[in-house]
Amino acid sequence: MLDLLPDLFDHYPSKLQLLPLAFKPYGAKRLFWGEIVTVKCFEDNSKVKEILAQDGHGKVLIVDGGGSLRRALLGDLIAQSALDNGWQGIVINGCVRDVARLNTFSLGVYALGAMPIKTEKLDQGQINVAVDMGGVMVKPGMMLYADENGIAVSDEMLNFAFLN
């Protein structure tokens, strides 16, 4: 399966919301889904690092970085931690760095852009709070579905049985 979202939107049009931000793919895994965990932070990735060091099997991290293009909220070391801990993917309303390296990881990574400058570590930010992703309110426990067609969220896990 290379494309998931077109089929999901055809089958579940009223159960999905498309995130309208202009995300670009940075990980080698372009199609992924999972239960949402959130981090809200601004130019400080301390909480991103903390969460991705935990078990992430079946989960996707959504980071509301306020759309900042001045600091990278994810680099290769933290992405490696996410990979090691079983995370399905990471979606960032902000930037990443170490792009060539991220592209080699079997991890879903979507962000607004790339920025080589790291954040300061001030241990600021919030974990598992509702976040606004381009006008779509995303809450922990919702489901995220991503492929190269876009990124969508739903309140419940959707059944893929119709795809067979």
Side-chain angles (χ1 to χ4, degrees):
M1 172 177 23
L2 297 174
D3 294 301
L4 175 63
L5 286 188
D7 291 330
L8 286 182
F9 272 100
D10 288 351
H11 202 76
Y12 298 109
S14 64
K15 293 189 176 200
L16 289 162
Q17 295 181 78
L18 187 68
L19 300 186
L21 300 174
F23 293 108
K24 299 173 188 168
Y26 291 99
K29 188 177 186 182
R30 301 296 171 93
L31 184 149
F32 59 92
W33 62 87
E35 180 184 349
I36 295 172
V37 175
T38 65
V39 167
K40 184 173 185 170
C41 59
F42 187 76
E43 298 182 1
D44 178 353
N45 68 352
S46 302
K47 300 299 182 187
V48 174
K49 181 178 180 180
E50 177 184 326
I51 286 294
L52 292 175
Q54 300 172 16
D55 178 42
H57 287 85
K59 296 180 184 173
V60 173
L61 180 65
I62 287 197
V63 180
D64 179 2
S68 174
L69 304 177
R70 301 184 320 173
R71 297 281 187 267
L73 295 173
L74 180 75
D76 62 342
L77 298 179
I78 296 174
Q80 182 66 58
S81 176
L83 195 57
D84 293 344
N85 288 297
W87 288 84
Q88 297 302 303
I90 305 158
V91 176
I92 301 175
N93 182 8
C95 291
V96 297
R97 66 189 221 152
D98 304 312
V99 171
R101 207 77 171 103
L102 290 181
N103 277 313
T104 69
F105 290 175
S106 182
L107 179 68
V109 178
Y110 284 90
L112 298 182
M115 161 53 65
I117 301 170
K118 67 181 179 179
T119 70
E120 290 187 65
K121 301 280 193 290
L122 303 172
D123 199 31
Q124 296 180 345
Q126 299 170 285
I127 295 172
N128 276 334
V129 296
V131 295
D132 183 333
M133 297 295 278
V136 176
M137 287 307 295
V138 178
K139 298 174 188 153
M142 292 176 78
M143 293 296 294
L144 179 138
Y145 304 92
D147 68 14
E148 291 182 86
N149 295 286
I151 300 169
V153 295
S154 69
D155 289 327
E156 62 193 64
M157 179 180 261
L158 302 177
N159 186 335
F160 295 2
F162 71 92
L163 292 173
N164 293 331

